[in-house]
Amino acid sequence: MIDIDLITARKNLSELIEKVNIESFEPVKIVDNETGKSAVLISEGFYNSILETNYINSIPKLSEKIIEEGKCTLEDCIPEDKIQW
């Protein structure tokens, strides 16, 4: 995670938004040196991933089932043309 002070973050907000969305996807920790408080800037996509992961983990045994089903071979899967949509 990249650390940056609040004053620099204010001056470079557009660049920081670009950085967390396109360049590195790495979160940026913004620190107010006067108060010692901090916040983290992440992309909306990363934030949505966190929310989705938390949701999946909130459903009992769902994450284990996803992991288990991910281990099946293609031969074990139902062909797409056999699925009734």
Side-chain angles (χ1 to χ4, degrees):
M1 182 180 316
I2 300 167
D3 286 13
I4 190 167
D5 67 273
L6 180 59
I7 294 169
T8 304
R10 282 184 182 147
K11 291 178 185 174
N12 300 301
L13 187 57
S14 292
E15 291 84 2
L16 290 174
I17 291 171
E18 185 81 10
K19 184 175 213 51
V20 299
N21 277 282
I22 296 172
E23 291 178 20
S24 68
F25 301 102
E26 186 175 2
V28 175
K29 181 179 175 184
I30 302 170
V31 180
D32 184 340
N33 291 331
E34 291 181 19
T35 65
K37 294 180 180 179
S38 61
V40 176
L41 178 66
I42 58 174
S43 70
E44 182 180 12
F46 189 66
Y47 175 74
N48 289 333
S49 296
I50 293 168
L51 291 179
E52 185 173 356
T53 300
N54 286 341
Y55 174 73
I56 288 170
N57 287 330
S58 73
I59 301 170
K61 304 204 185 251
L62 180 58
S63 59
E64 291 88 356
K65 183 159 179 67
I66 291 170
I67 292 169
E68 188 61 34
E69 294 295 328
K71 294 177 183 176
C72 75
T73 64
L74 285 177
E75 292 78 26
D76 296 333
C77 296
I78 299 171
E80 185 177 0
D81 61 343
K82 301 288 185 196
I83 297 173
Q84 294 181 354
W85 298 95

